[in-house]
Amino acid sequence: MTVELISVGTEILLGNIVNTNAAYLAEKIALLGLSCYHQSAVGDNEERLEDAIRLALSRSDIVILSGGLGPTKDDLTKEVTAKVFGRELYEDAHSKERIQAYFDRRRAQGREITANNWKQALVPEGAIVVDNYNGTAPGIILEDKENGKTAILLPGPPNEIRPMFERDIAPYLNKLQPEGIYSKMVKICSIGESQAETMVADLMDAQSNPTLAPYAKTGEVHFRVTAKAADEETACRLMEPMLQELKKRFGDYIYTMDEEVTLEEAVVDMLRERQMTVTTAESCTGGLLAGRIMNVPGASSVYREGYITYSNEAKEKLLGVEHQTLETVGAVSPETAEQMARGAARQAGADAALAVTGIAGPDGGTPEKPVGLVYIGCCVQGRIRVEEFHFTGNRSKNRDYAVVRALTLLREELLRDQTQAEIR
């Protein structure tokens, strides 16, 4: 069964927004075991949108359109799709009630219904209406059973399309197949993509059902194990030997087998389990590391305070980095990273500390200290470790990599601390 994606909106064509919906939907469709051979983006133009829909329906079984379901005149997706399917629009009472309730809840914030909002309550005849729990535009499933064609219309905002897809569209698509597709994720840090893939090359060469696929992330590698089966229980039995083999081969490199858990969540959980606190001292990352930790709900139980010490003066004043160190070896050095980590732990009274100092770019590099050189210091219970990294991305990418490497380094040291405690 083939699916085609059409992203609707002139703002996509102009580059005003990044089309994250297409990437999200493509990944989800693949995980459902559906084929996607074409994607397109079309502006808010009736004629061009109609051509795009007709072309997609001529070569695919299902067309998923995202965007163009808003209340304004240039939102044409619903109207044009209804025209292609030969259906009239009518006002859906259920959708109208939900729109009314949505604005009633927001009246205190000054949100009032305008006449064009009722446009979103219009749906094509015979359509399946999908409730939107995060906005006003309902999703629509329009089936042409005689020709075996289906159009699925979804709202454009990511915070609306994603929960709607997970809640209603994915189960709908899964029922269209005799067998469902089920998957598990294994997330790995501390080793690179090439090494990780080499470690499972034989498994990938011999795969059939389940299958194993690697995904490179910033500073991480994710492996998705996918099985096709009549039900989830059968799929889990098929995947279990593969999952156990991955555990055997990667061991502590695996930080989670839960798709929803992030690296920072795994690290915060480790700190919480050990009843330990952490602090951060950042130069080139400028608070990104602290921000990643703060993204974790409940991080306040392990994180109390942090330091952004961009200048040498701040490193001396807030962290106690020695002036002589900065004068002789410079701010970007293993010595400075060590003193930053020790100083942060001391000042915050924390069990652990991470320190980052480096040259993110694009300027500031020298032959001796090029752009991308970063030193990360980690102090756990007074034990210090400093690592040197050479990143090759732009300024933003170098900072992102530094954050991931810092979290990975802390995780490694917490594991080492646990191993030593068990030996004792």
Side-chain angles (χ1 to χ4, degrees), residues 2 50 130 138 177 216 224 240 244-245 333 340 369 414:
T2 59
E50 181 178 345
V130 181
Q177 304 181 94
R224 186 177 292 281
E240 189 58 27
Q244 291 302 320
E245 186 63 25
S333 64
M340 287 173 66
K369 296 183 178 182
L414 291 173

Side-chain angles (χ1 to χ4, degrees), residues 19-203:
N19 188 10
T20 58
N21 286 342
Y24 168 79
L25 291 171
E27 181 179 15
K28 293 300 181 182
I29 287 166
L31 292 176
L32 289 169
L34 300 167
S35 300
C36 181
Y37 302 132
H38 300 90
Q39 295 183 23
S40 62
V42 61
D44 301 306
N45 177 275
E46 183 175 354
E47 182 179 351
R48 288 190 286 273
L49 179 55
E50 181 178 345
D51 289 343
I53 295 172
R54 292 190 184 280
L55 176 61
L57 288 170
S58 72
R59 60 192 181 190
S60 301
D61 303 302
I62 301 169
V63 179
I64 300 180
L65 299 102
S66 58
L69 298 182
T72 60
K73 291 182 179 180
D74 62 345
D75 292 309
L76 301 167
T77 301
K78 183 169 46 185
E79 289 77 3
V80 175
T81 306
K83 177 183 177 182
V84 170
F85 276 72
R87 309 286 179 88
E88 296 293 328
L89 296 174
Y90 75 97
E91 186 174 81
D92 179 52
H94 174 72
S95 296
K96 186 174 183 179
E97 288 176 4
R98 290 185 60 82
I99 293 170
Q100 180 72 61
Y102 179 92
F103 281 97
D104 287 345
R105 292 193 298 270
R106 286 156 179 76
R107 185 163 292 135
Q109 304 169 16
R111 297 286 302 276
E112 297 289 342
I113 296 180
T114 56
N116 57 0
N117 283 118
W118 299 124
K119 175 176 180 284
Q120 295 180 299
L122 297 176
V123 302
E125 293 175 334
I128 300 171
V129 179
V130 181
D131 289 340
N132 185 344
Y133 292 86
N134 298 278
T136 53
I140 292 170
I141 299 174
L142 198 53
E143 299 173 325
D144 180 356
K145 294 184 178 180
E146 182 178 346
N147 295 304
K149 303 291 183 178
T150 300
I152 300 175
L153 283 56
L154 302 174
N159 67 323
E160 297 180 27
I161 191 174
R162 297 189 180 201
M164 183 181 290
F165 189 92
E166 297 286 347
R167 179 187 176 93
D168 295 295
I169 305 305
Y172 170 84
L173 293 173
N174 218 14
K175 289 178 181 178
L176 299 181
Q177 304 181 94
E179 290 185 305
I181 302 295
Y182 304 89
S183 66
K184 297 283 188 180
M185 184 71 82
V186 178
K187 297 186 179 181
I188 296 168
C189 62
S190 298
I191 58 175
E193 179 188 13
S194 298
Q195 182 183 353
E197 189 167 347
T198 299
M199 291 172 67
V200 295
D202 59 317
L203 298 178

